[in-house]
Amino acid sequence: IGLVHLSLATLDPRSREVVRLKFEEDLSYKEIADRTGLGTGHVGYLLHHALKALGSELARTGLVP
């Protein structure tokens, strides 16, 4: 879990907030969009790229293959 939190720190603040809302607060894309003022498509885009970046960072550290 510590490496995941460190990897989250590599994301830009907006992406980090979208990931937090999705996975810590279990909000839907629509709820995240309403909370942040982003469009639902932009929420999906940010989540996709943030998760891809997190996966790459965790792979770099050797946590995941």
Side-chain angles (χ1 to χ4, degrees), residues 49-60:
H49 286 280
L51 294 176
K52 188 174 176 180
L54 286 173
S56 294
E57 182 65 19
L58 292 172
R60 189 186 66 75

Side-chain angles (χ1 to χ4, degrees), residues 2-61:
L3 281 176
V4 172
H5 283 274
L6 286 174
S7 296
L8 281 169
T10 66
L11 297 175
D12 65 275
R14 183 172 52 182
S15 294
R16 196 168 41 246
E17 177 68 1
V18 168
V19 169
R20 187 189 72 73
L21 292 170
K22 179 65 181 161
F23 294 101
E24 288 183 8
E25 296 193 29
D26 197 28
L27 299 181
S28 69
Y29 284 23
K30 170 91 172 84
E31 291 168 323
I32 294 169
D34 290 344
R35 176 99 50 107
T36 61
L38 300 169
T40 55
H42 198 180
V43 168
Y45 175 87
L46 288 172
L47 277 172
H48 171 79
H49 286 280
L51 294 176
K52 188 174 176 180
L54 286 173
S56 294
E57 182 65 19
L58 292 172
R60 189 186 66 75
T61 64

